C-alpha cells in the first residue's frame, strides 16, 4: 500500500553527514509524524502487557501511543577459543524475576584475527535489534546472555543500566564475562546501542510489516543493516512524497535502492 511505500522511501533519504543508523531506528523516528498528524492517545496498560500482547490485543486501540525500548546488538568480540562456535544472544529487559526477554537469531563466531592491533579475537556481527514495551515498574537494566544454540547453556554475560537519550541511541561496549567454573573471567566484549521511541500502535504495525519483524518470546527482533551507504544526490528527490521533502528543506540525500519488506538483509549501495 501507499503507507508501506512511504515507509520504504525512508531508507533512501538520509543526510550525508549522519552516522550509520539501524533502519528500524529510522522508521521508528518517522512514527512521530503520525503522532503529529493524527489523534493519538495514551491508553492505560496493565503491567502484564508485553509488546507482542499489545500488538495482538484488540482492546488496545490502534491510536494508542506506545513507548518502545530498542536494544541494538552490533558486534561481539570473543577470546580465540570461541572461534567457530555458534551462539544465540538473549536480551533481558528488567531485573531477575521481573523482566521481558527476547532471543536473537543464531550467529557463528569467526576465525580469530588481530583486533585493534593488540590482541587476537574471534568476532561476529550480531546484526539484530530487540524491541520491548517500556515498563515503568521494571528496573532500568539490560542483561545480555550468550547461549549455546543446541545445549541452551549460558557461557557469557554482560549487564548495564538502561540509558535512554532523547531522540538518539546511546552506544556502548560491555565486557563479557564467563559463567560456571570460570565465572567472572573476561571472555570478550559486545557493542550495543539503546534507545526509546514513542509510536502509535497502527504505525508500529505497519513498520513491523515493512521490516519483517519476528516475534521472539516477549519482544520482537528485526535485522540490523547500516543505511548510510549510498550515493549523494543533490538534485530532486524522486521518491514518493518528494515534494514534501523539498518544502522541508531537504536538499542533500543518500539515494538508496528500493527494497522489499524482507530486504533488511541487503546493503544499500
Amino acid at each position: 500500500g501507499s503507507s508501506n511505500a512511504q515507509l520504504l522511501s525512508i531508507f533512501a533519504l538520509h543526510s550525508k553527514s549522519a552516522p550509520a543508523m539501524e533502519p528500524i531506528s529510522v522508521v521508528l523516528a518517522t512514527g512521530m509524524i503520525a503522532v503529529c498528524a493524527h489523534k493519538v492517545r495514551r491508553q492505560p496498560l496493565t503491567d502484564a502487557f508485553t509488546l507482542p500482547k499489545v500488538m495482538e490485543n484488540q482492546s488496545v486501540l490502534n491510536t494508542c501511543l506506545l513507548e518502545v525500548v530498542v536494544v541494538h546488538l552490533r558486534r561481539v568480540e570473543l577470546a580465540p577459543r570461541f572461534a567457530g562456535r555458534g551462539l544465540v544472544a538473549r536480551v533481558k529487559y528488567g531485573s531477575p524475576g521481573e523482566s521481558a526477554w527476547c532471543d536473537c537469531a543464531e550467529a557463528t563466531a569467526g576465525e580469530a584475527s588481530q583486533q585493534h592491533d593488540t590482541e587476537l579475537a574471534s568476532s561476529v556481527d550480531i546484526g539484530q535489534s530487540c524491541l520491548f514495551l517500556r515498563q515503568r515498574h521494571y528496573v532500568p537494566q539490560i542483561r545480555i546472555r550468550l547461549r549455546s544454540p543446541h545445549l541452551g547453556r549460558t557461557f557469557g554475560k554482560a549487564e548495564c543500566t538502561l540509558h535512554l537519550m532523547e531522540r538518539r541511541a546511546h552506544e556502548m561496549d560491555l565486557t563479557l564475562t564467563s559463567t560456571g567454573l570460570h565465572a567472572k573471567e573476561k571472555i570478550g566484549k559486545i557493542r550495543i546501542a539503546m534507545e526509546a521511541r514513542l509510536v502509535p500502535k497502527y504505525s508500529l504495525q505497519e513498520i513491523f510489516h515493512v521490516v519483517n519483524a519476528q516475534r521472539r518470546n516477549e519482544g520482537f527482533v528485526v535485522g540490523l543493516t547500516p543505511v548510510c551507504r549510498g550515493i549523494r544526490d543533490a538534485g530532486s528527490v524522486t521518491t514518493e512524497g518528494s515534494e514534501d521533502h523539498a518544502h522541508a528543506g531537504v536538499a542533500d540525500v543518500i539515494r538508496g535502492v528500493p527494497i522489499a519488506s524482507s530486504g533488511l538483509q541487503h546493503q544499500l549501495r
Side-chain angles (χ1 to χ4, degrees), residues 1-9 206-207 209-210 240 259 261:
S2 60
S3 58
N4 285 345
Q6 290 171 352
L7 286 171
L8 287 173
S9 71
E206 291 184 344
I207 289 170
H209 174 71
V210 169
E240 185 173 348
I259 59 176
S261 62

Side-chain angles (χ1 to χ4, degrees), residues 182-239:
H182 303 285
K184 298 185 179 181
E185 174 192 357
K186 180 180 178 181
I187 61 172
K189 63 181 180 180
I190 180 170
R191 172 161 294 184
I192 72 169
M194 300 168 282
E195 61 182 315
R197 297 285 181 177
L198 283 172
V199 189
K201 180 181 175 180
Y202 66 85
S203 289
L204 200 57
Q205 290 170 330
E206 291 184 344
I207 289 170
F208 279 176
H209 174 71
V210 169
V211 302
N212 194 28
Q214 302 293 316
R215 176 177 177 172
R216 296 287 179 85
N217 312 108
E218 295 158 333
F220 286 87
V221 175
V222 300
L224 183 157
T225 305
V227 299
C228 68
R229 296 183 180 180
I231 301 172
R232 179 187 172 199
D233 185 349
S236 61
V237 181
T238 58
T239 56

Side-chain angles (χ1 to χ4, degrees), residues 47-164:
D47 293 343
F49 272 128
T50 60
L51 189 55
K53 288 182 179 179
V54 166
M55 300 306 292
E56 68 186 16
N57 194 314
Q58 295 183 357
S59 67
V60 178
L61 301 177
N62 286 334
T63 54
C64 178
L65 195 58
L66 305 176
E67 189 168 13
V68 180
V69 172
V70 190
V71 181
H72 307 291
L73 301 187
R74 292 180 171 168
R75 184 178 179 85
V76 171
E77 293 181 7
L78 295 168
R81 69 176 184 270
F82 293 100
R85 182 168 181 171
L87 60 91
V88 172
R90 172 171 292 182
V91 179
K92 297 183 177 184
Y93 162 46
S95 59
E98 189 174 43
S99 62
W101 60 279
C102 187
D103 280 349
C104 294
E106 181 180 347
T108 302
E111 294 298 322
S113 60
Q114 200 78 22
Q115 301 289 332
H116 312 301
D117 300 324
T118 57
E119 58 185 8
L120 285 174
S122 174
S123 62
V124 55
D125 292 319
I126 298 295
Q128 301 283 318
S129 297
C130 297
L131 291 83
F132 303 96
L133 182 68
R134 188 173 187 181
Q135 303 283 1
R136 297 291 179 177
H137 66 287
Y138 278 5
V139 173
Q141 184 179 39
I142 295 297
R143 296 176 292 134
I144 298 173
R145 302 292 184 261
L146 299 186
R147 298 164 58 85
S148 300
H150 303 297
L151 298 177
R153 295 177 180 174
T154 298
F155 66 88
K157 64 179 183 178
E159 300 180 359
C160 70
T161 300
L162 178 61
H163 294 279
L164 298 178

